Amino acid sequence: MVKVEGTLEEMYELFGDARQMVKSAKQSVVSGKKVAAKAKRPLNSWQKYVKANSNKFKYKSGAKKGQINLKAMSRAFKKGRKKK
């Protein structure tokens, strides 16, 4: 940090313009137009499968009770998938 000494009037002369610059920059940012967001890419088949609640396999007992069993979901997804 730099130590600046002087009277209040001298301080305003040094930093007064900087304060107005910051204010004007903030106002221009706020008043500026928003940039359009990029288009989201579509979900692939696995992501759609995982998203659907009807396909979710859950642990019924043990330490992971209530959590999603992704290993079982993966097996079911691969079996149900048609090979090209």
Side-chain angles (χ1 to χ4, degrees), residues 6-43:
T7 63
L8 189 60
E9 292 174 5
E10 292 172 345
M11 296 289 188
Y12 279 128
E13 287 179 20
L14 288 173
F15 301 114
D17 295 332
R19 283 185 181 171
Q20 286 186 347
M21 294 286 237
V22 170
K23 284 182 184 178
S24 64
K26 284 182 182 177
Q27 288 174 353
S28 64
V29 169
V30 170
S31 64
K33 294 181 181 177
K34 289 186 177 180
V35 178
K38 288 184 179 180
K40 289 188 176 180
R41 61 178 181 76
L43 298 176

Side-chain angles (χ1 to χ4, degrees), residues 23-80:
K23 284 182 184 178
S24 64
K26 284 182 182 177
Q27 288 174 353
S28 64
V29 169
V30 170
S31 64
K33 294 181 181 177
K34 289 186 177 180
V35 178
K38 288 184 179 180
K40 289 188 176 180
R41 61 178 181 76
L43 298 176
N44 61 33
S45 56
W46 168 249
Q47 289 170 326
K48 287 178 188 175
Y49 183 83
V50 171
K51 188 176 180 181
N53 284 326
S54 60
N55 299 325
K56 291 185 179 169
F57 289 76
K58 293 193 176 183
Y59 290 102
K60 295 181 181 176
S61 63
K64 294 184 177 183
K65 184 178 179 180
Q67 292 181 3
I68 297 171
N69 186 349
L70 287 172
K71 188 175 182 180
M73 284 180 70
S74 175
R75 271 189 256 124
F77 176 73
K78 289 173 183 176
K79 280 185 179 179

